[in-house]
Amino acid sequence: MPISLSDQLELILPTYNRREHLQRTLTQLTAPESPVRHCSLTVLDNACTDGSSDLIEEFAAKCPNIKHIRHEKNIGGNGNIARAFELARKPYVWVVCDDDSFRWEAWPEVEEALFSNEYDILLTRKDDLKGTSNLAKIVRQLTFLPAGIYRTANITSGVLMNVLSNIPNMFPHLAVVCAVLNKKGRIFLPQGEIMDKCTFSDQSGDEWSVSGYDVYPHPFVGNIFWTVGFLNSLQMIEDKKLHAYILENVGNHGFFGYILGSFRKNYTRYGGNELNIAFVKSGLTGGQRIKFLFARILLRIVTLFARKRR
């Protein structure tokens, strides 16, 4: 018998207390025009309290391919993402978010790549690439969780341990990305995009990291933000030259420009977190450490000057 898409691909959706967004996303994924409507869809309910659990049950009652797993306790947004990769069983897994929007015009080329079994990661979104195929920009794009469909065979025990270890750095799935880079795996770059550029949620990645906490969060988690989590995650790249190349090319103005631009809005928060600073510095080359130090000094001067003018 020929292999069907439902044999080749499964979807897993972590969610917590975003019922309205979740309803829109599930409606799109199960609509008649959705090419993945028959694929297994597991919804990981992080002990929702806003009626999302009832909504998931409603969809599951109508769609036999939907499985609802409700955690007894909230394990954190990033913990829930890690759980998704732990549970993946089909040859490929697509972990989507509860506020995503989709367009399916480019799906045929993605599906063809899926059936070829040649790729370790298939991109579904390319807006962060700005028209290039630069590997650094691809890695940056993959910080957006649903931007990649992943070959499940790459999620070995060791990679899964790295996924779990990277939960505090906001991007547990980058452990899978780094594992693919380390083995020089293949990444499929489609002509079009599957993910819509507009998402429904106004919740930032920083907020996602601490969403659901009912106690004071661990300082590493509580003080993390996008750039720090990204830089820390990239330390799982074994090839130091490749690691340095990605850092120098991830932004549009080299590593120094990237640090200045990314940290500017978060400097007060970041500047007080020496734990994260020390970890970031440990993964830099000598030249990058100098740029990093100079950027910090410059940002401190600018911040102090701005305070005096108030």
Side-chain angles (χ1 to χ4, degrees):
M1 287 182 62
I3 298 175
S4 68
L5 182 62
S6 59
D7 294 323
Q8 190 75 347
L9 174 69
E10 66 180 315
L11 285 74
I12 303 181
L13 193 163
T15 188
Y16 175 67
N17 279 5
R18 294 201 280 197
R19 188 184 190 282
E20 182 180 352
H21 304 317
L22 177 63
Q23 183 170 17
R24 292 176 182 144
T25 298
L26 288 176
T27 298
Q28 289 186 68
L29 290 173
T30 59
E33 63 272 18
S34 167
V36 299
R37 64 189 180 279
H38 297 305
C39 292
S40 171
L41 171 57
T42 302
V43 184
L44 299 181
D45 175 353
N46 219 352
C48 293
T49 59
D50 68 340
S52 293
S53 301
D54 293 335
L55 174 69
I56 299 165
E57 285 297 315
E58 291 174 15
F59 273 90
K62 296 183 293 184
C63 306
N65 58 306
I66 293 181
K67 181 179 181 181
H68 177 198
I69 297 178
R70 177 179 166 84
H71 306 319
E72 285 190 21
K73 297 179 180 178
N74 189 324
I75 61 173
N78 295 318
N80 213 11
I81 291 171
R83 180 64 54 82
F85 284 92
E86 177 188 357
L87 294 175
R89 294 293 182 270
K90 296 291 177 71
Y92 286 91
V93 61
W94 189 13
V95 183
V96 295
C97 296
D98 55 9
D99 61 346
D100 286 333
S101 181
F102 308 88
R103 54 174 186 248
W104 303 113
E105 295 87 351
W107 181 258
E109 61 173 323
V110 174
E111 185 169 322
E112 183 179 352
L114 273 171
F115 281 113
S116 75
N117 285 311
E118 295 178 5
Y119 300 97
D120 296 285
I121 303 175
L122 297 86
L123 260 67
T124 64
R125 184 171 174 177
K126 304 188 304 176
D127 64 301
D128 213 26
L129 274 63
K130 309 301 182 186
T132 76
S133 57
N134 182 284
L135 183 59
K137 301 295 194 300
I138 291 174
V139 173
R140 176 172 173 166
Q141 181 69 79
L142 288 168
T143 59
F144 177 59
L145 177 64
I149 296 175
Y150 296 90
R151 186 195 296 274
T152 307
N154 289 321
I155 311 171
T156 64
S157 294
V159 171
L160 183 58
M161 285 189 280
N162 279 344
V163 167
L164 294 170
S165 297
N166 209 44
I167 286 173
N169 283 316
M170 295 178 61
F171 304 111
H173 60 289
L174 285 186
V176 185
V177 176
C178 291
V180 170
L181 295 178
N182 290 338
K183 63 174 275 188
K184 296 180 172 57
R186 297 189 66 187
I187 300 175
F188 177 72
L189 193 63
Q191 295 296 314
E193 293 182 277
I194 307 303
M195 305 299 304
D196 202 321
K197 291 182 174 61
C198 299
T199 54
F200 302 123
S201 176
D202 57 359
Q203 187 180 61
S204 70
D206 301 358
E207 293 168 337
W208 172 266
S209 295
V210 295
S211 179
Y213 265 91
D214 57 4
V215 296
Y216 182 71
H218 187 286
F220 198 103
V221 176
N223 290 291
I224 202 75
F225 69 96
W226 191 96
T227 309
V228 176
F230 180 55
L231 293 177
N232 287 347
S233 299
L234 294 184
Q235 295 196 48
M236 288 181 283
I237 298 175
E238 291 181 85
D239 186 331
K240 300 307 179 185
K241 290 184 178 179
L242 176 61
H243 178 256
Y245 170 83
I246 290 176
L247 292 189
E248 291 294 344
N249 291 275
V250 70
N252 296 323
H253 305 287
F255 180 70
F256 181 70
Y258 173 68
I259 292 297
L260 277 179
S262 300
F263 289 359
R264 182 170 50 85
K265 294 181 180 179
N266 296 281
Y267 181 71
T268 302
R269 179 178 179 182
Y270 177 81
N273 190 352
E274 294 298 330
L275 177 63
N276 279 333
I277 289 173
F279 195 76
V280 168
K281 285 166 61 178
S282 69
L284 304 180
T285 65
Q288 288 168 346
R289 289 186 186 188
I290 293 172
K291 294 175 184 177
F292 183 79
L293 176 62
F294 185 59
R296 285 193 67 204
I297 293 173
L298 184 59
L299 286 167
R300 187 181 293 276
I301 292 172
V302 171
T303 302
L304 290 174
F305 182 73
R307 287 175 180 172
K308 287 182 179 180
R309 292 190 62 184
R310 289 175 185 170

